[in-house]
Amino acid sequence: MTATPSFPVADLESDDLLGDFPEGRRLAGTRCGDCGQTMIGTRVVCSSCVGQNVARVALPGTGVLYSYTRLHVGGQGVRALGYVDLDGGVRTLADLREGDAGLWPDARVELGVDGDDWFFTPVIQQGDSHD
């Protein structure tokens, strides 16, 4: 007989979202073997069904920018922040780096890693029009 967890259940194993995988540095995720849900972060239980049949996985390094904003932070300048829908269905809030491309909803984006910092940047594809 398995014990039913009492609520609330702390589901994150750690706060570190970056991990080393055969694919390189990627966002770490967890996939539930019971319900199939994939979540960002390394978890000890599934956030959806609270099952314990979970495995650590590398999340896709590409996705689509759902929405974004620019925060004007005192003397630090402008910080872009947005929701990214990763390929495979996980949505995450992330720092954005615009570069020369700018930002627009539905832009294809890719993960960038600089030390322990991670962010997404737009990927310009032939025929992109976002004016």
Side-chain angles (χ1 to χ4, degrees):
M1 182 169 133
T2 58
T4 302
S6 59
F7 291 95
V9 174
D11 61 350
L12 277 176
E13 185 173 289
S14 78
D15 292 333
D16 188 15
L17 295 180
L18 278 179
D20 293 313
F21 295 91
E23 303 91 333
R25 299 275 285 168
R26 297 285 285 279
L27 291 175
T30 302
R31 182 167 295 121
C32 179
D34 294 332
C35 72
Q37 181 74 29
T38 302
M39 303 141 277
I40 192 166
T42 303
R43 299 174 184 269
V44 293
V45 297
C46 175
S47 296
S48 182
C49 73
V50 195
Q52 296 177 339
N53 181 17
V54 295
R56 184 174 184 255
V57 296
L59 294 177
T62 56
V64 175
L65 182 60
Y66 173 76
S67 178
Y68 71 96
T69 190
R70 290 182 181 96
L71 304 172
H72 299 267
V73 185
Q76 299 175 10
V78 179
R79 177 182 175 192
L81 192 66
Y83 282 106
V84 173
D85 290 335
L86 299 176
D87 297 339
V90 173
R91 178 176 286 170
T92 186
L93 183 64
D95 282 315
L96 304 170
R97 296 199 183 162
E98 297 186 53
D100 295 332
L103 296 171
W104 66 97
D106 295 326
R108 290 289 303 163
V109 293
E110 65 184 354
L111 177 68
V113 177
D114 182 9
D116 290 333
D117 295 330
W118 57 276
F119 54 89
F120 284 89
T121 58
V123 177
I124 300 298
Q125 299 172 348
Q126 189 84 14
D128 272 352
S129 175
H130 56 273
D131 297 329

